[in-house]
Amino acid sequence: MTERSRFLGQRIARLLREIYPDVDADILSSMVIDAFWPEGTTRRKRARVSGNKLWSEQDALLITYGNSIIDGAHKPLDLLYDFLCSYLSGTLNSVHILPFFPYTSDDGFAVSDFRSVNSQLGDWPDINRIAGEFTLMSDLVLNHVSSQGSWFNAYLQGQPSYDRFFFEASPDDDLSQVVRPRTTPLLKKVETANGPRHVWCTFSHDQIDLDFRNPEVLLEFLRIIRLHVDNGVQIVRLDAVAFLWKEVGTPSIHLPQTHAIIQLMRLLCDYASERIILLTETNVPKAENLSYFGNGQEAHAIYNFPLPPLILHAMMSGNGEYLRRWQRGMPPAPMGCAYLNFTASHDGIGMRPAEGLLPEDEKQQMIETVKEIGGLVSMRALPDGSENPYELNTTFYDALSRTFKGVDEHHHARFICSQTIVMSLEGIPAFYIHAMLATPNDHGQVEHRGMNRAINRHRWDYPTLRELLADPASPQARVLDDLSARLKLRKKQTAFHPNATQFTVNLNDDRVFGIWRQSLDRHQSIFALHNVSDDHVTVPSAAINLIEDQDWFDLIGNASIDASAEDITLLPYQCMWITNRR
């Protein structure tokens, strides 16, 4: 063993002692290395140095299911590849294909086999082809597996190793503190070869929680990461990772062992010869979410979960006060880390991240407005037995079809403004396919499938979609064209690097949300102004401190800006990217 290999083993062993104090950390360290780097693979001699070169202003991500586009004749992954190449090449360079494995429920998040591609979508060569053209993100659904998968069947049969794969508890245990994202009972009684057991189910009774106290569970997931990386995955999304480690008598969320496991995975990724980015999915309030950066040694990237409810509120109310107040208090991502910014996703618009950021009456007005446009609300159970809104279920496009005032003629401009804010902020922008395609709420799917989230999981018939995109007057064509144009413009601006300097501008007018971005080399500045209201708003030039002896230009409006003029006027929902260098 070389000195460098010994050093890596020692670093791994230190983390393993935190996670498994009763296991021989040196032996387990060797097993970890063999799981992540099996025979025939290589690793770096030194860990990748933390920096800002894992991403750039060129990066933007599409979020989609493997079957968001269908036609009844071709493999959905073939259609997705065609859509990406035909409509988004040069616009977005990355794609998150939501769980594309065999599953039994929750649209892929009850995985029955992590090593196969769902045959209804395609196969590994179809995934490889997409990964050859776009940076690919996949889901590591590591908190739970399907109750009908081979792992749980082996557990029920009492097969060695698998008989300790799943977390058990007793109905007599004190589970009152457990944080729940759902209202279903936490425990499920099952009959096993070793007698009756109660297994832990954070999300549903078809999604059985794994027991990471068994090191074999961790080793198996490291082997799965290797398989996915070997098939072209470059971004690994750690789904529901906050719930990973459980202890009876605790909230069983954000426990120290969970953070240590993420640190271990980050260490392995930093030694990988391939570029691997870890993204944590933790739909929780701000401080809890930020904790997954650790000290720069945990996740490479985290979702900016407060953005969806805060942007939705700003656009509905015409008031960016709460968005600005939150953004002003957000720290820059640590070195080697980045935010993933978004408004719409396959899930609903989470309300937990808005806790402490929006007053209760403002949240209630959002809920009522979403209901008025036909949206739904999903609840979560609280420790005292009561329920609280967990998420709003609607497409983001339909959600912005009205404001607190009612319906108006600004729907399109309001929606484009909401997505432009995502493009302007520090971090990597991500867009759900149904935001890019102005998809309306799918009430038929809700009725057919009996789940609120189906409202935002429409499956487009590809011939129909192509016809709509060929019609420049359709909402689908208008939104895709406008968002694509801004994304193509954005990728040319060094001031939009995910780690470029950001400062929240206080304009003394809550109708305009403004931020200043400066490139890493300090050569380019961009003042990004977003009118979140239906008013014509005048902003004093002095408020954004344009240097008078420089030429300033609005990239979006393709117009020069006179720095000596007293005022800048924004039309309803207008956005400006005012720069000194184009």
Side-chain angles (χ1 to χ4, degrees):
M1 180 184 293
T2 66
E3 186 63 31
R4 290 195 180 101
S5 295
R6 186 177 297 110
F7 177 65
L8 172 60
Q10 291 171 348
R11 294 183 67 184
I12 293 173
R14 280 199 296 270
L15 287 168
L16 291 173
R17 289 188 187 97
E18 295 181 33
I19 306 166
Y20 306 109
D22 298 327
V23 175
D24 188 311
D26 294 322
I27 293 175
L28 186 53
S29 174
S30 296
M31 297 171 71
V32 164
I33 290 173
D34 290 343
F36 199 74
W37 288 289
E39 187 176 350
T41 57
T42 59
R43 63 177 182 267
R44 297 169 60 93
K45 294 180 179 179
R46 296 182 179 86
R48 188 174 282 105
V49 177
S50 292
N52 50 37
K53 294 185 179 179
L54 284 174
W55 37 68
S56 76
E57 61 274 10
Q58 301 278 326
D59 292 311
L61 180 85
L62 180 77
I63 306 166
T64 181
Y65 280 100
N67 61 354
S68 290
I69 299 174
I70 56 176
D71 68 358
H74 299 88
K75 291 184 292 186
L77 287 175
D78 279 346
L79 299 179
L80 177 60
Y81 178 78
D82 184 82
F83 172 76
L84 290 168
C85 294
S86 300
Y87 293 98
L88 293 176
S89 182
T91 299
L92 295 154
N93 65 351
S94 306
V95 58
H96 172 201
I97 306 178
L98 290 151
F100 48 78
F101 317 106
Y103 71 99
T104 54
S105 66
D106 199 18
D107 282 344
F109 287 93
V111 179
S112 56
D113 182 1
F114 289 96
R115 298 181 175 277
S116 302
V117 174
N118 182 353
S119 60
Q120 295 182 355
L121 301 178
D123 209 338
W124 280 117
D126 304 303
I127 293 293
N128 303 153
R129 184 165 62 148
I130 293 173
E133 299 291 335
F134 297 85
T135 298
L136 177 62
M137 182 198 297
S138 75
D139 287 277
L140 193 68
V141 187
L142 72 176
N143 179 70
H144 50 262
V145 298
S146 167
S147 67
Q148 302 171 55
S150 59
W151 291 5
F152 194 63
N153 284 329
Y155 162 82
L156 294 176
Q157 295 166 20
Q159 294 181 19
S161 184
Y162 290 105
D163 61 351
R164 297 187 300 114
F165 252 50
F166 295 91
F167 197 92
E168 300 173 351
S170 166
D172 297 328
D173 289 333
D174 179 9
L175 305 176
S176 61
Q177 297 183 56
V178 175
V179 173
R180 296 297 315 285
R182 300 288 186 272
T183 58
T184 53
L186 177 63
L187 300 183
K188 174 183 179 179
K189 184 178 181 180
V190 296
E191 295 295 332
T192 78
N194 298 315
R197 296 287 189 272
H198 288 84
V199 291
W200 194 286
C201 304
T202 297
F203 290 89
S204 81
H205 283 189
D206 188 39
Q207 295 163 293
I208 315 298
D209 283 35
L210 292 151
D211 190 350
F212 274 82
R213 294 176 303 180
N214 177 1
E216 286 297 327
V217 176
L218 173 63
L219 292 172
E220 187 59 22
F221 273 102
L222 296 181
R223 297 182 191 106
I224 289 166
I225 294 176
R226 169 50 54 191
L227 172 68
H228 294 180
V229 169
D230 287 346
N231 276 283
V233 171
Q234 295 186 53
I235 308 174
V236 178
R237 178 182 184 268
L238 302 181
D239 176 68
V241 68
F243 302 98
L244 191 68
W245 197 275
K246 291 93 176 162
E247 288 182 6
V248 171
T250 76
S252 292
I253 187 172
H254 313 313
L255 295 184
Q257 294 90 338
T258 293
H259 287 281
I261 287 173
I262 297 171
Q263 290 173 35
L264 173 63
M265 291 181 172
R266 168 68 180 264
L267 178 62
L268 298 174
C269 291
D270 285 349
Y271 269 92
S273 56
E274 306 87 354
R275 184 185 84 150
I276 308 175
I277 295 171
L278 284 182
L279 170 70
T280 51
E281 187 265 331
T282 52
N283 191 356
V284 291
K286 171 185 168 182
E288 298 169 47
N289 192 34
L290 288 173
S291 73
Y292 285 86
F293 279 142
N295 293 316
Q297 86 285 32
E298 290 189 32
H300 292 94
I302 65 172
Y303 282 86
N304 217 340
F305 273 112
L307 267 181
L310 287 174
I311 290 180
L312 181 65
H313 175 269
M315 307 310 299
M316 282 183 167
S317 66
N319 180 0
E321 174 191 358
Y322 300 105
L323 175 64
R324 174 181 52 79
R325 187 183 297 174
W326 162 78
Q327 185 58 69
R328 192 171 57 194
M330 283 292 286
M335 180 65 73
C337 300
Y339 294 105
L340 187 78
N341 298 322
F342 71 109
T343 57
S345 75
H346 63 291
D347 290 337
I349 299 164
M351 295 302 288
R352 281 212 70 203
E355 291 176 8
L357 301 177
L358 286 174
E360 288 303 315
D361 60 334
E362 296 290 331
K363 287 193 285 187
Q364 190 57 43
Q365 198 163 2
M366 286 173 61
I367 291 171
E368 294 305 319
T369 304
V370 165
K371 287 180 177 178
E372 287 172 0
I373 56 94
L376 304 169
V377 181
S378 293
M379 310 297 286
R380 70 182 182 98
L382 299 179
D384 63 4
S386 63
E387 296 183 355
N388 209 33
Y390 180 68
E391 65 183 17
L392 308 179
N393 300 112
T394 174
T395 68
F396 213 84
Y397 179 75
D398 261 13
L400 291 181
S401 62
R402 66 183 299 140
T403 67
F404 292 169
K405 298 177 182 177
V407 177
D408 60 24
E409 71 276 18
H410 299 301
H411 183 192
H412 177 81
R414 184 161 49 243
F415 180 73
I416 298 300
C417 177
S418 74
Q419 304 307 295
T420 305
I421 293 173
V422 172
M423 299 182 204
S424 303
L425 291 170
E426 174 197 343
I428 302 166
F431 304 88
Y432 188 36
I433 190 170
H434 294 308
M436 295 292 291
L437 295 175
T439 306
N441 286 333
D442 192 335
H443 297 282
Q445 281 294 311
V446 174
E447 184 176 350
H448 175 68
R449 301 171 62 194
M451 58 183 292
N452 285 358
R453 285 179 169 178
I455 199 171
N456 190 28
R457 298 178 181 179
H458 180 70
R459 292 172 185 166
W460 277 104
D461 173 68
Y462 200 25
T464 301
L465 177 61
R466 290 176 66 91
E467 287 182 13
L468 288 169
L469 293 177
D471 176 6
S474 73
Q476 287 66 42
R478 293 180 67 205
V479 166
L480 184 61
D481 288 349
D482 284 356
L483 292 182
S484 295
R486 291 197 184 178
L487 281 165
K488 289 176 180 177
L489 191 60
R490 179 191 182 279
K491 67 190 293 186
K492 299 176 183 178
Q493 316 307 320
T494 56
F496 283 143
H497 185 285
N499 298 119
T501 298
Q502 176 170 291
F503 180 79
T504 307
V505 180
N506 189 353
L507 296 172
N508 296 319
D509 191 324
D510 290 330
R511 294 172 297 177
V512 179
F513 175 64
I515 55 174
W516 172 64
R517 303 294 308 279
Q518 186 181 58
S519 61
L520 296 170
D521 62 9
R522 298 191 176 187
H523 289 166
Q524 184 184 36
S525 286
I526 292 179
F527 292 92
L529 305 180
H530 317 85
N531 182 0
V532 301
S533 77
D534 59 1
D535 298 326
H536 289 68
V537 181
T538 298
V539 175
S541 297
I544 58 174
N545 196 31
L546 296 182
I547 300 172
E548 290 194 15
D549 60 355
Q550 290 190 5
D551 294 327
W552 294 93
F553 190 82
D554 173 24
L555 294 166
I556 294 176
N558 194 30
S560 295
I561 300 293
D562 184 358
S564 63
E566 296 209 1
D567 298 319
I568 296 171
T569 300
L570 291 95
L571 303 177
Y573 304 106
Q574 183 180 357
C575 302
M576 289 184 173
W577 287 341
I578 301 174
T579 184
N580 63 331
R581 187 175 183 181
R582 58 184 172 116

